Amino acid sequence: MTHLLAKVRAVPAALLAMITTLGLVAFAGSATADRGGRPVPAPPASPTSADQIQNIDQVRTAIKAYYGDTVTTTPDPVDGTRTLHTFSPTGAYANEIAGVERTASKYLAHQVTKQHVSGRKAIVLDIDDTSLNTFNYEIYSNFAYNPTTNAAFVNSASFPAVPGMPQLATTAQGEGYTVFFLTGRPVSQTSGTVTNLANAGFPAVPADHLFLKDLTNPIYSSCAPTCTTIQYKSLTRAYIESQGYNIVANFGDQYSDLIGGHADRTFKLPNPMYYLP
């Protein structure tokens, strides 16, 4: 995952306008929504005053409060010199996640009886901050992405589940849905990813139902080697559909996980920690 310096800011206004116009994303449960359910506007692209930009230390403090920052006794997987943090199971983040999951679970249960849905029913789940929560790494790194330390967390399977998501996936599987995982993690992190999903309680999936980023795959020939996240993920969903599946629901914490089509409905999970275009 490639973090940006401004990763704690909201989605750019132009992208939000496009998403809203096309009706591609349901904003319910989004951490970038105000009391009226509207997206929180991003700072201007070229600020003329510091007053137009929220102070980054204030943003970090607010993020920690939103997640209910909790210190554990688990040592970090990099060198073991620090203890990891986690989110509170009763905090605002967990409560907001639960709201999205209730809506999604009702929708999936209702779609089981729909006769008009052709193909085998499937759901697609992003991994980081959709299936597995990376708050412990963001606190460890002070919200600054480093590929070496991040890989240590991934390969040691150090991320807890996003609360409620293993149960949602397991229930969906029991209702007849095929579960796919689709992540921007490199294929070199397959082993740690599989272990982490299993340890977090997700149902086991065949290897061909787990997609990690490998742009040498012919699926991505139209954009490789420079596929954007939107291209990579939408082309993967198109491939899944070509195998006879109907993607009834697509879950992600980034708008780039969700736009690009090839899903009946999208569900945006809250993540104010970083933005990936």
Side-chain angles (χ1 to χ4, degrees), residues 120-239:
R120 292 170 287 176
K121 296 181 178 68
I123 62 172
V124 173
L125 292 85
D126 169 57
I127 292 183
D128 289 313
D129 295 295
T130 298
S131 302
L132 301 173
N133 176 273
T134 72
F135 179 74
N136 58 9
Y137 176 73
E138 296 299 332
I139 296 300
Y140 171 87
S141 66
N142 195 27
F143 302 97
Y145 176 75
N146 176 287
T148 301
T149 57
N150 183 260
F153 274 70
V154 171
N155 293 328
S156 62
S158 294
F159 298 123
V162 169
M165 287 304 290
Q167 293 82 355
L168 184 148
T170 300
T171 299
Q173 189 179 73
E175 293 172 334
Y177 289 93
T178 300
V179 179
F180 290 89
F181 291 95
L182 170 56
T183 176
R185 294 180 177 186
V187 290
S188 60
Q189 297 180 350
T190 298
S191 178
T193 299
V194 170
T195 299
N196 207 156
L197 289 171
N199 291 349
F202 284 93
V205 298
D208 59 352
H209 291 179
L210 171 63
F211 292 88
L212 287 89
K213 198 168 189 178
D214 176 11
L215 296 184
T216 65
N217 190 313
I219 297 171
Y220 314 111
S221 60
S222 62
C223 61
T226 58
C227 300
T228 66
T229 299
I230 293 172
Q231 289 173 320
Y232 162 62
K233 295 215 166 184
S234 61
L235 285 170
T236 307
R237 294 194 300 273
Y239 171 77

Side-chain angles (χ1 to χ4, degrees), residues 20-203:
T20 303
T21 300
L22 297 178
L24 293 171
V25 177
F27 285 105
S30 169
T32 59
D34 64 17
R35 292 182 182 179
R38 297 177 299 276
V40 175
S46 299
T48 57
S49 170
D51 292 338
Q52 296 172 304
I53 309 168
Q54 189 169 2
N55 183 280
I56 195 167
D57 284 332
Q58 292 177 320
V59 174
R60 289 192 184 103
T61 298
I63 290 173
K64 292 175 182 179
Y66 169 70
Y67 280 90
D69 184 18
T70 304
V71 181
T72 74
T73 58
T74 304
D76 73 81
V78 178
D79 57 19
T81 61
R82 308 183 215 174
T83 54
L84 295 181
H85 292 227
T86 192
F87 57 86
S88 167
T90 59
Y93 164 72
N95 290 336
E96 192 168 14
I97 286 284
V100 178
E101 291 167 346
R102 283 192 296 270
T103 300
S105 295
K106 290 178 182 178
Y107 167 74
L108 291 174
H110 182 66
Q111 295 303 305
V112 168
T113 62
K114 293 285 187 179
Q115 299 301 313
H116 70 274
V117 178
S118 60
R120 292 170 287 176
K121 296 181 178 68
I123 62 172
V124 173
L125 292 85
D126 169 57
I127 292 183
D128 289 313
D129 295 295
T130 298
S131 302
L132 301 173
N133 176 273
T134 72
F135 179 74
N136 58 9
Y137 176 73
E138 296 299 332
I139 296 300
Y140 171 87
S141 66
N142 195 27
F143 302 97
Y145 176 75
N146 176 287
T148 301
T149 57
N150 183 260
F153 274 70
V154 171
N155 293 328
S156 62
S158 294
F159 298 123
V162 169
M165 287 304 290
Q167 293 82 355
L168 184 148
T170 300
T171 299
Q173 189 179 73
E175 293 172 334
Y177 289 93
T178 300
V179 179
F180 290 89
F181 291 95
L182 170 56
T183 176
R185 294 180 177 186
V187 290
S188 60
Q189 297 180 350
T190 298
S191 178
T193 299
V194 170
T195 299
N196 207 156
L197 289 171
N199 291 349
F202 284 93

